[in-house]
Amino acid sequence: MSEHVTCKELVDFLDDYLEDRLEPPVRRRFEEHLDACPPCRVYLDGYRDTVRLTRSLCDDTDAGPPAAMPETLIRAILDSRRRS
Amino acid sequence: MLSLVDPSLATAEDERRLIAALRAGDDAAYETLVRTYAPRLFPVARRIVASDAEANDAVQDAFISAFKSIDRFSEESSLRTWLHRITVNAALMLLRSRRRRPEQRSIDELLPRFEANGHRVDTGGGWSTAAVEGLEREEKRRLLTRLLDELPDDSRTVLVLRDIEERGTAETAEVLGITPGAVKTRLHRARQALRTLLERELSE
Ligand SMILES: [Zn+2]
């Protein structure tokens, strides 16, 4: 990475930035770019929200009213056991 | 018949009794198991296979393999966790055996574009974080399922395994038969694509 981080480099290394895997000097250049580039800040915020949204749905098997399963499917599953 | 209408309320003792009854071949116990868990496993499969009909098939496949291996179920895990894992595997297997959506769009169309000098070309307006956080859990789930369907299979599966199922990079690589480097690249592209889809959705 050169002296200045470009918008493309910022996006390419976004996961490393968010997971704090960048060397301190590189991280500083990242933050300089963010300070100077509002569109990249908007991009970063949206990316972070996106990851947060998907993560919030992990393991939702207990959550909310479960989907209604067709009775035919329930019967088919139970029948498959009796057949085997 | 044992009642486990809400598995999160079942005690360890309820679960031990249910497992013992399953191992003894008790029909009522099997019925309880299927009625309790099938509806909860459906969304897990649905995120991977991208159609309701295939998700039903995956849930059925999952139970068939669970029935065969109930004797090997280790009580260190919970039934819910065990069935969840089996369902993810069944859905991935189904997807692999039915790879037939040749018309899938390329993910490139959903990635940000840059000029030759690395400068950003198109910038969307983003959205307010509150707009996402204001959604009910069920609305979030439906929105995300719908947007995930728009991603190509290989991107969607990586995103689901890493960000929703919270599997590690190495495990995801092994399950999908790709390298850890490919997992990281695909995850990054899939997150960017999903971000674009979310932006289109929320800025309308
Ligand atoms: Zn920028």
Side-chain angles (χ1 to χ4, degrees):
Chain A
M1 218 176 284
S2 64
E3 187 107 5
H4 291 287
V5 173
T6 64
C7 298
K8 181 173 189 311
E9 285 168 328
L10 185 121
V11 169
D12 287 346
F13 291 89
L14 214 47
D15 286 328
D16 295 316
Y17 173 73
L18 289 173
E19 281 155 42
D20 209 5
R21 284 192 301 248
L22 296 176
E23 297 293 324
V26 179
R27 189 174 178 89
R28 254 195 312 281
R29 275 181 279 155
F30 246 71
E31 281 160 358
E32 280 163 17
H33 182 101
L34 284 169
D35 283 342
C37 185
C40 275
R41 285 206 297 278
V42 170
Y43 193 82
L44 171 67
D45 287 346
Y47 190 87
R48 212 183 244 143
D49 275 359
T50 302
V51 176
R52 198 179 292 140
L53 174 68
T54 37
R55 291 232 164 114
S56 75
L57 294 189
C58 75
D59 196 26
D60 61 357
T61 42
D62 285 338
M69 294 300 275
E71 186 60 23
T72 47
L73 181 66
I74 301 273
R75 302 264 45 116
I77 294 171
L78 290 167
D79 288 347
S80 68
R81 170 181 158 252
R82 289 192 195 98
R83 275 199 311 275
S84 62
Chain B
M1 180 166 141
L2 284 153
S3 173
L4 270 183
V5 176
D6 182 347
S8 62
L9 298 178
T11 64
E13 183 51 37
D14 289 339
E15 184 150 314
R16 262 195 301 278
R17 262 186 293 159
L18 179 62
I19 293 161
L22 292 168
R23 287 182 174 155
D26 179 334
D27 286 347
Y30 278 92
E31 183 144 2
T32 299
L33 183 81
V34 174
R35 288 195 187 280
T36 305
Y37 288 102
R40 290 174 169 81
L41 296 171
F42 177 83
V44 174
R46 179 62 183 75
R47 290 192 288 254
I48 295 174
V49 296
S51 90
D52 287 357
E54 288 186 338
N56 282 339
D57 289 348
V59 169
Q60 181 163 10
D61 291 350
F63 275 105
I64 292 171
S65 71
F67 295 160
K68 286 185 191 140
S69 54
I70 187 72
D71 289 329
R72 277 175 280 134
F73 167 72
S74 154
E75 277 158 64
E76 282 149 37
S77 150
S78 69
L79 273 176
R80 183 172 64 73
T81 311
W82 181 66
L83 289 169
H84 187 116
R85 269 192 103 75
I86 293 177
T87 302
V88 169
N89 291 339
L92 288 170
M93 284 223 326
L94 194 87
L95 194 66
R96 222 169 279 151
S97 70
R98 292 189 190 170
R99 236 183 231 302
R100 46 93 201 88
R101 298 202 301 158
E103 76 293 0
Q104 288 189 40
R105 75 159 117 182
S106 161
I107 197 170
D108 293 343
E109 185 247 315
L110 297 170
L111 300 180
R113 288 199 301 279
F114 302 95
E115 289 166 22
N117 64 7
H119 206 272
R120 190 179 286 284
V121 173
D122 50 344
T123 56
W127 61 83
S128 82
T129 298
V132 180
E133 284 175 355
L135 297 173
E136 298 283 334
R137 195 181 169 85
E138 187 55 27
E139 287 175 308
K140 284 186 190 171
R141 195 180 67 73
R142 267 202 304 271
L143 171 66
L144 194 62
T145 302
R146 184 158 53 77
L147 299 183
L148 284 173
D149 286 352
E150 296 193 35
L151 299 179
D153 290 345
D154 56 355
S155 307
R156 192 181 61 254
T157 46
V158 168
L159 192 85
V160 168
L161 288 174
R162 288 285 289 112
D163 282 348
I164 303 183
E165 299 296 334
E166 300 195 316
R167 309 273 182 102
T169 299
E171 191 188 352
T172 302
E174 203 184 309
V175 169
L176 298 178
I178 58 178
T179 65
V183 169
K184 286 187 187 162
T185 309
R186 276 189 209 176
L187 175 64
H188 183 47
R189 289 161 62 88
R191 284 169 168 179
Q192 292 178 77
L194 185 63
R195 187 207 174 287
T196 302
L197 292 169
L198 207 51
E199 183 164 68
R200 287 178 188 170
E201 192 74 28
L202 297 172
S203 61
E204 266 162 20

